[in-house]
Amino acid sequence: MALANEQDQVLGNLVRAVHLLEEAPGIAWLMPEVRINLVYALSTAECPRDVAGIEGRITVVKGRFRAAGYPAFGASDHMARCLIEVRKYAPRWRAGMNFRWNLDLVKQVENYCKNKSLTLGKIERSLEPREIQEKDGSSMPWKIAQLAQGARFPEIFYESPGWGKEPLFVILGEDAVACVKKFLDLARALSSSC
């Protein structure tokens, strides 16, 4: 019964978080080509089935973020695996969301993190060993281990461009609503500095 209650809490929190995103104007420019997924893990998550995400991801319709489907466990692979790896080093982060990366945004996000006393991390894809690049599914543990080398695990991180991969920012939170609120605050700061 406790697991079912936690699952309901996770799904309900994701619904509230998606509503916050859908109601926010002027943030569509932060949509990456691969679209956004927002994920939230059970406290005991060990695999992607233990992480809820948005079916079909979040996209843009008429200039606003829109969820393509409902929150569901197992709806995400990439972001779910990312969060599971993150939680091995920083278990407090149970939610995460990806968003657009480009070189111009890096400096602005660095300034935002400095002003908010947040930690920003970078994954340098050019350092990834070839044997990891060539083995499907083995990059995520390597990438997240790179972030864990600092004194404090970052709340926001990005990876540098890599062949055939869209570089993305990822923002973390204690739950999906906290993650989205942090993202919306960042989005407002980025919009005002553009």
Side-chain angles (χ1 to χ4, degrees), residues 21 118 161 169 176:
L21 285 173
L118 300 175
F169 277 104

Side-chain angles (χ1 to χ4, degrees), residues 8-189:
D8 288 346
Q9 286 178 321
V10 165
L11 294 173
N13 188 272
L14 272 167
V15 168
R16 286 184 22 234
V18 167
H19 284 209
L20 291 172
L21 285 173
E22 291 180 337
E23 292 170 2
I27 59 173
W29 65 280
L30 287 167
M31 179 64 65
E33 291 295 321
V34 295
R35 300 301 174 225
I36 286 173
N37 213 334
L38 171 64
V39 295
Y40 186 12
L42 292 171
S43 58
T44 57
E46 294 179 355
C47 68
R49 289 185 316 275
D50 300 329
V51 180
I54 309 304
E55 291 179 324
R57 301 187 184 194
I58 297 167
T59 190
V60 172
V61 177
K62 295 183 180 180
R64 290 214 179 212
F65 281 15
R66 289 290 177 257
Y70 292 105
F73 285 93
S76 170
D77 179 58
H78 182 81
M79 278 300 297
R81 287 185 296 109
C82 175
L83 193 58
I84 287 166
E85 289 300 321
V86 164
R87 297 193 73 242
K88 290 177 182 177
Y89 303 97
R92 79 179 272 209
W93 302 126
R94 288 184 51 198
M97 175 181 159
N98 65 299
F99 63 97
R100 181 182 181 185
W101 177 94
N102 65 39
L103 279 173
D104 294 332
L105 282 176
V106 171
K107 190 67 176 164
Q108 293 173 51
V109 173
E110 284 175 352
N111 289 336
Y112 173 84
C113 288
K114 185 183 235 181
N115 291 336
K116 296 284 184 172
S117 298
L118 300 175
T119 306
L120 177 66
K122 177 183 178 184
I123 299 165
E124 184 56 64
R125 290 298 298 257
S126 66
L127 300 177
E128 185 175 9
R130 182 172 294 278
E131 62 274 10
I132 290 174
Q133 290 175 9
E134 293 173 350
K135 186 177 177 192
D136 194 35
S138 63
S139 283
M140 194 64 73
W142 178 86
K143 290 191 301 187
I144 302 306
Q146 302 312 298
L147 296 173
Q149 293 177 6
R152 185 171 143 199
F153 198 89
E155 293 142 283
I156 302 174
F157 61 88
Y158 68 96
E159 56 185 76
S160 63
W163 187 84
K165 305 285 185 186
E166 180 181 11
L168 299 168
F169 277 104
V170 172
I171 191 164
L172 302 171
E174 290 87 355
D175 61 40
V177 169
C179 185
V180 165
K181 285 181 177 178
K182 196 183 298 183
F183 169 74
L184 293 175
D185 187 65
L186 170 62
R188 282 189 290 274

